[in-house]
């Protein structure tokens, strides 16, 4: 059953790419970057996820509280939160039946140090 699900996804993707001459963007998006820094930058490329991080920088929130700030479906919020969590930029903990999300400052330090090094390299030229 698992092989059928994979084949049913790959075949239309290859067919569409063949028919329309498209690059395999959607197929390539399914593959996760191996480098954690790449994951973080990829996650930050979306405006909604950046806004979620700004909210979580102020204080921790539940998924429902975060969803209240946006005019998108709760499923979309859940998707964005899962990507942020997989990248390590946010963490989640349970309080009774609620999941509370908070910003992971250690993960942001890695981004900050990389950008700072890039900026220093520019100044030295």
């Amino acid at each position: 059953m698992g092989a059928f699900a994979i084949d049913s996804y790959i075949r239309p993707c290859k067919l569409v790419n063949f028919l329309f001459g498209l690059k395999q963007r959607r197929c390539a998006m399914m593959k996760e970057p191996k480098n954690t820094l790449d994951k973080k930058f990829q996650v930050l490329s979306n405006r909604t996820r950046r806004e979620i991080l700004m909210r979580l920088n102020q204080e921790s929130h539940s998924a429902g509280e975060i969803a209240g700030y946006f005019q998108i479906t709760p499923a979309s919020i859940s998707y964005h939160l899962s990507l942020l969590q997989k990248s390590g930029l946010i963490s989640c903990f349970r309080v009774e039946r609620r999941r509370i999300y908070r910003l992971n400052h250690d993960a942001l330090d890695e981004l900050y140090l990389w950008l700072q090094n890039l900026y220093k390299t520019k100044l030295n030229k």
Side-chain angles (χ1 to χ4, degrees):
M1 185 172 202
F4 176 77
I6 292 171
D7 286 344
S8 64
Y9 174 75
I10 292 173
R11 282 189 201 138
C13 199
K14 286 183 180 178
L15 178 64
V16 168
N17 291 334
F18 175 75
L19 291 175
F20 298 105
L22 301 173
K23 294 181 181 177
Q24 293 186 346
R25 289 184 71 190
R26 179 136 175 96
C27 295
M29 286 172 38
M30 300 301 288
K31 298 176 185 174
E32 292 185 18
K34 294 179 182 177
N35 186 345
T36 59
L37 191 60
D38 291 343
K39 283 182 185 180
K40 289 177 180 81
F41 278 114
Q42 185 176 18
V43 167
L44 289 173
S45 69
N46 182 278
R47 183 175 49 97
T48 301
R49 291 191 284 267
R50 290 191 306 268
E51 289 179 19
I52 290 172
L53 287 176
M54 294 301 288
R55 296 280 180 190
L56 292 176
N57 190 36
Q58 296 168 1
E59 64 179 306
S60 300
H61 291 288
S62 68
E65 292 169 341
I66 294 169
Y69 294 114
F70 300 94
Q71 298 208 353
I72 58 177
T73 64
S76 294
I77 291 293
S78 178
Y79 172 73
H80 289 301
L81 289 172
S82 70
L83 289 178
L84 285 165
Q85 195 171 2
K86 286 178 186 176
S87 71
L89 290 172
I90 65 172
S91 58
C92 177
F93 62 96
R94 285 186 170 264
V95 174
E96 296 174 3
R97 293 175 49 180
R98 295 173 39 185
R99 290 183 180 183
I100 306 297
Y101 294 90
R102 65 177 164 210
L103 191 64
N104 183 359
H105 291 282
D106 293 335
L108 288 176
D109 288 343
E110 181 184 7
L111 290 171
Y112 175 75
L113 291 173
W114 187 86
L115 290 170
Q116 187 179 29
N117 187 33
L118 183 67
Y119 187 73
K120 284 181 183 177
T121 304
K122 178 187 171 199
L123 290 177
N124 291 336
K125 288 186 177 182

